[in-house]
């Protein structure tokens, strides 16, 4: 039986970072995982280059039943703090669009950095977590054939997104066992599927265009991609975190066109048809598909202004009614998870059970696409690492 100060369940981004912070404070730390290697999501992220943070990582870019919960951790360990750590390890990086930061080299550099920072902790991999119990102020974890005990336990096993990497709902089962409530988990940053009556759009598989995509009160201007199953691309992935079943997703196909652009085109070039007019703003295949949907034959000069205004309005507010998502298999992260009302926002500790902490994706805090979820892993891991 091994006695530690802290047992961390999960050796992903949040767990490794928390292990390093706690070990640097002199704590006896062990991080355990059933996976054979640490940081598996980090390794595949960002096309293998790890979008490790976002310079715009503020609390209002996270989805949660309590959107203010993330404010404390994100404010005390910021994107700039993590960038400084990356710089101190000599890892070269670059900024892409919308504040997204990537390694110039490999995502494995981030994993190596985290392991280096956690050199004072034990990282135990490749064995199942067989049991977790709590009694007399101590948590006991059976990891493989080892029995570990500690007064502090950190749940950092993530959510069920990307099960091929070994992701499960283990964190939720354990949290419920210890009396924490859940916000219904659902796939996030995930492609949406369309019903058969939108088959015309599914036939556009591979076509991408810049749009403004909206779900609920959220709107995102980025590329949308048509797939053989429905809709994807950054704008759709972003909107998916806010989308709920039976609600529409609204697409503005012509965000750069001012109201009246079709009637102005009618005056300037009365002999062109709607298909050609749409082709001036959209990819050819999409322009053709939309022209078919509008069923507006003949030249623009022969169309009533009111008809063209109605087409403009539809183009800027096209409503799709997805019948689902591509699920946790394709989801980058999970919306929902361990309810924040049972956790202390400064320490990530369970309010009713001293010594229990929950961090990272397991918590009901989900960032936008583009490095926000990694920043939550670092910030929440730092908060718990300072507290255990």
């Amino acid at each position: 039986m091994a006695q530690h100060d802290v047992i961390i369940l999960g050796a992903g981004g949040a767990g490794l970072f928390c292990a390093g912070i706690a070990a640097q404070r002199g704590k006896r730390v062990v991080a355990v995982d059933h996976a054979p290697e640490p940081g598996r999501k980090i390794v595949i992220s960002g096309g293998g280059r790890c979008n490790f943070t976002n310079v715009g990582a503020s609390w209002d870019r996270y989805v949660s039943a309590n959107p203010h919960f993330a404010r404390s951790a994100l404010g005390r360990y910021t994107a700039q703090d993590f960038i400084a750590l990356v710089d101190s390890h000599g890892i070269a990086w670059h900024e892409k669009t919308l504040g997204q930061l990537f390694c110039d080299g490999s995502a494995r550099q981030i994993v190596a950095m985290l392991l280096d920072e956690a050199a004072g902790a034990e990282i135990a991999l490749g064995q199942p977590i067989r049991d977790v119990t709590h009694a007399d102020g101590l948590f006991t974890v059976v990891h493989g054939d080892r029995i570990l005990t500690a007064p502090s336990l950190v749940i950092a096993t993530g959510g069920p997104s990307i099960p091929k990497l070994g992701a499960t709902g283990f964190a939720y089962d354990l949290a419920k066992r210890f009396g924490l409530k859940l916000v219904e988990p659902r796939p996030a940053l995930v492609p949406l599927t369309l019903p058969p009556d939108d088959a015309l759009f599914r036939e556009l598989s591979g076509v991408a265009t810049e749009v403004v995509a909206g779900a609920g009160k959220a709107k995102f201007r980025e590329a949308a991609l048509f797939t053989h199953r429905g809709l994807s691309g950054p704008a759709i992935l972003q909107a998916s975190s806010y989308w709920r079943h039976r609600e529409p997703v609204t697409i503005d196909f012509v965000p750069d066109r001012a109201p009246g652009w079709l009637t102005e085109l009618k005056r300037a070039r009365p002999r062109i048809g709607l298909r050609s007019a749409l082709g001036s703003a959209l990819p050819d295949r999409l322009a053709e598909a939309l022209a078919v949907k509008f069923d507006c034959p003949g030249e623009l000069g022969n169309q009533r202004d009111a008809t063209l205004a109605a087409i403009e309005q539809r183009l800027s507010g096209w409503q799709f009614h997805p019948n689902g998502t591509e699920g946790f298999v394709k989801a980058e992260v999970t919306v929902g998870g361990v309810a924040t009302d049972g956790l202390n926002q400064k320490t990530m500790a369970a309010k009713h059970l001293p010594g229990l902490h929950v961090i990272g994706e397991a918590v009901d805090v989900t960032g936008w696409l583009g490095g926000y979820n990694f920043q939550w892993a670092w910030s929440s891991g730092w908060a718990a690492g300072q507290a255990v």
Side-chain angles (χ1 to χ4, degrees):
M1 181 176 290
Q3 171 71 49
H4 293 83
D5 297 312
V6 190
I7 302 169
I8 299 173
L9 306 182
L16 287 176
F17 197 64
C18 182
I21 296 298
Q24 290 168 24
R25 294 177 51 240
K27 301 293 183 177
R28 293 170 297 168
V29 181
V30 59
V32 303
D33 203 308
H34 68 281
E37 60 179 346
R40 299 184 87 183
K41 272 193 179 180
I42 297 173
V43 171
I44 70 163
S45 68
R49 292 193 172 182
C50 187
N51 180 191
F52 57 82
T53 192
N54 194 296
V55 295
S58 59
W59 65 273
D60 56 349
R61 297 185 174 190
Y62 290 80
V63 184
S64 174
N66 175 7
H68 290 274
F69 179 84
R71 188 196 291 257
S72 175
L74 290 167
R76 288 183 301 131
Y77 191 87
T78 68
Q80 293 303 321
D81 291 323
F82 194 77
I83 293 167
L85 180 65
V86 170
D87 287 342
S88 74
H89 282 259
I91 299 173
W93 53 270
H94 58 279
E95 181 175 342
K96 285 192 176 180
T97 58
L98 304 174
Q100 303 171 31
L101 305 190
F102 290 79
C103 297
D104 286 357
S106 168
R108 292 187 182 276
Q109 293 175 284
I110 298 296
V111 178
M113 179 192 77
L114 295 174
L115 290 173
D116 190 37
E117 288 290 309
E122 179 189 354
I123 312 296
L125 305 170
Q127 295 291 331
I129 299 169
R130 301 187 185 279
D131 194 23
V132 183
T133 56
H134 178 263
D136 300 324
L138 284 178
F139 292 92
T140 301
V141 174
V142 181
H143 181 238
D145 57 3
R146 296 178 67 192
I147 299 175
L148 309 169
T149 64
S152 292
L153 178 75
V154 181
I155 301 175
T157 54
S161 62
I162 321 184
K164 69 180 180 182
L165 295 183
T168 69
F170 177 84
Y172 307 149
D173 297 336
L174 190 57
K176 285 193 293 185
R177 193 191 313 171
F178 285 129
L180 290 168
K181 295 179 181 178
L182 296 183
V183 174
E184 177 191 3
R186 64 185 197 276
L189 301 182
V190 64
L192 300 174
T193 57
L194 293 176
D197 57 354
D198 273 322
L200 174 65
F201 289 102
R202 294 212 304 272
E203 291 169 7
L204 295 173
S205 180
V207 173
T209 187
E210 185 167 321
V211 303
V212 173
K217 295 181 179 179
K219 291 184 177 181
F220 298 93
R221 179 168 178 162
E222 290 190 72
L225 171 70
F226 291 96
T227 73
H228 67 285
R229 297 190 64 188
L231 299 168
S232 188
I236 301 301
L237 299 183
Q238 296 277 39
S240 73
S241 296
Y242 295 84
W243 177 75
R244 303 305 293 258
H245 277 284
R246 291 180 290 279
E247 291 183 357
V249 169
T250 303
I251 302 288
D252 181 353
F253 282 115
V254 286
D256 289 324
R257 298 297 168 123
W261 70 278
L262 273 178
T263 52
E264 288 179 15
L265 196 58
K266 168 185 168 179
R267 310 276 191 270
R269 300 176 62 192
R271 300 192 64 179
I272 71 167
L274 180 62
R275 160 68 183 80
S276 296
L278 297 182
S280 68
L282 297 165
D284 285 345
R285 287 171 61 197
L286 177 57
E288 187 170 351
L290 289 170
V292 168
K293 283 278 191 180
F294 287 123
D295 189 24
C296 184
E299 300 172 348
L300 286 191
N302 295 327
Q303 307 298 331
R304 296 169 56 241
D305 286 0
T307 300
L308 297 180
I311 290 173
E312 284 183 11
Q313 191 170 14
R314 185 93 189 276
L315 283 171
S316 60
W318 196 285
Q319 288 202 335
F320 289 97
H321 289 83
N323 57 3
T325 75
E326 293 197 25
F328 287 115
V329 172
K330 293 291 183 70
E332 294 194 20
V333 290
T334 306
V335 161
V338 177
T340 59
D341 59 5
L343 302 176
N344 182 304
Q345 64 180 352
K346 291 185 178 180
T347 64
M348 306 304 297
K351 293 176 180 177
H352 73 290
L353 182 55
L356 178 65
H357 302 251
V358 191
I359 61 175
E361 190 185 342
V363 181
D364 174 34
V365 173
T366 305
W368 288 3
L369 184 72
Y372 293 94
N373 288 293
F374 274 129
Q375 185 57 46
W376 173 244
W378 319 138
S379 296
S380 61
W382 182 91
Q386 291 286 348
V388 291

